[in-house]
Amino acid sequence: DQQVKQNSPSLSVQEGRISILNCDYTNSMFDYFLWYKKYPAEGPTFLISISSIKDKNEDGRFTVFLNKSAKHLSLHIVPSQPGDSAVYFCAASFAGGTSYGKLTFGQGTILTVHP
Amino acid sequence: NAGVTQTPKFRILKIGQSMTLQCTQDMNHNYMYWYRQDPGMGLKLIYYSVGAGITDKGEVPNGYNVSRSTTEDFPLRLELAAPSQTSVYFCASSSPDRAYGYTFGSGTRLTVV
């Protein structure tokens, strides 16, 4: 039961253009959503998060959009840079019961930004 | 400013051998986690802990054990290694503030042959 899905295994964009990474979820109890970036041979690093009470959160070149009715979130990177080339994971959590905010991860999307 | 430190970085085990993956954090986080990542897959939760002396199973706990005797350390034990445990293992820690997510270690790449 894949509760968090990233349906695009890979994405290729040109430097300077917008990168849009998508993520869908099925569990309506999720109330916090995060994006992580992972370089080869390193652990994932936190990028940006959004609470379910918001529909948008920005941090510099990174913006996350949340559409609760569609159970969909997306990460926009503008402008894209070659250093953004990495695997991007979306993740979700909820705080109820014994969840303690444990993260459920999607499969990841490999982003390649060409110079 | 070490964050989360995992050792070893690489290990090759023979089937049936045992080993402990070490994880320590210096951020005084109560919550700690072990995940595994298989090729083309997301991270799957093995075990987690909400504080010293408290551990619980995640999504894929079979074949693993953990302990949490201190806030800083959260070792993962493989008792009888199997080829299905070939994976990259990540330890992570977090504060109760979910806005900032987890801090991950750099991972341990384990191969069971």
Side-chain angles (χ1 to χ4, degrees):
Chain A
D1 177 26
Q2 191 79 26
Q3 297 188 62
V4 178
K5 295 182 182 180
Q6 295 175 254
N7 292 316
S8 297
S10 62
L11 175 67
S12 181
V13 300
Q14 208 67 31
E15 181 179 6
R17 306 293 290 269
I18 185 171
S19 295
I20 300 176
L21 297 105
N22 294 303
C23 180
D24 297 297
Y25 63 96
T26 57
N27 190 340
S28 58
M29 293 182 68
F30 287 142
D31 63 350
Y32 239 104
F33 303 89
L34 302 90
W35 285 94
Y36 282 82
K37 179 168 73 173
K38 185 184 179 306
Y39 293 119
E42 295 183 11
T45 55
F46 170 72
L47 204 52
I48 192 169
S49 67
I50 187 167
S51 162
S52 61
I53 63 173
K54 297 184 175 181
D55 55 17
K56 177 182 173 181
N57 189 27
E58 287 182 84
D59 184 1
R61 296 186 297 115
F62 303 91
T63 302
V64 56
F65 295 92
L66 176 62
N67 182 334
K68 281 185 293 184
S69 61
K71 293 191 175 68
H72 177 84
L73 66 153
S74 60
L75 175 68
H76 293 210
I77 306 174
V78 184
S80 301
Q81 300 173 353
D84 296 329
S85 297
V87 180
Y88 288 78
F89 292 99
C90 69
S93 74
F94 65 94
T98 58
S99 172
Y100 298 111
K102 297 192 300 290
L103 289 175
T104 300
F105 285 84
Q107 309 96 303
T109 297
I110 301 170
L111 173 66
T112 304
V113 180
H114 299 283
Chain B
N1 192 17
V4 177
T5 302
Q6 288 184 240
T7 57
K9 292 192 182 301
F10 305 94
R11 183 73 185 267
I12 298 175
L13 277 183
K14 294 184 178 179
I15 294 171
Q17 286 185 322
S18 300
M19 76 164 294
T20 298
L21 282 66
Q22 301 292 345
C23 176
T24 186
Q25 52 96 4
D26 62 0
M27 297 170 286
N28 202 33
H29 284 165
N30 283 327
Y31 298 167
M32 295 189 75
Y33 314 85
W34 276 104
Y35 282 83
R36 59 178 285 172
Q37 185 193 9
D38 301 320
M41 306 292 288
L43 287 80
K44 302 287 188 184
L45 182 63
I46 305 171
Y47 269 95
Y48 66 99
S49 169
V50 300
I54 306 169
T55 63
D56 207 347
K57 297 178 181 178
E59 190 179 356
V60 289
N62 292 344
Y64 307 94
N65 273 302
V66 293
S67 60
R68 184 94 183 271
S69 56
T70 66
T71 299
E72 295 78 20
D73 300 307
F74 191 39
L76 178 72
R77 178 82 178 161
L78 283 72
E79 289 294 346
L80 292 170
S84 61
Q85 293 176 305
T86 294
S87 189
V88 182
Y89 292 84
F90 291 101
C91 178
S93 71
S94 72
S95 72
D97 188 344
R98 293 190 291 145
Y100 297 100
Y102 298 172
T103 300
F104 280 90
S106 57
T108 295
R109 183 174 294 275
L110 175 67
T111 303
V112 182
V113 296

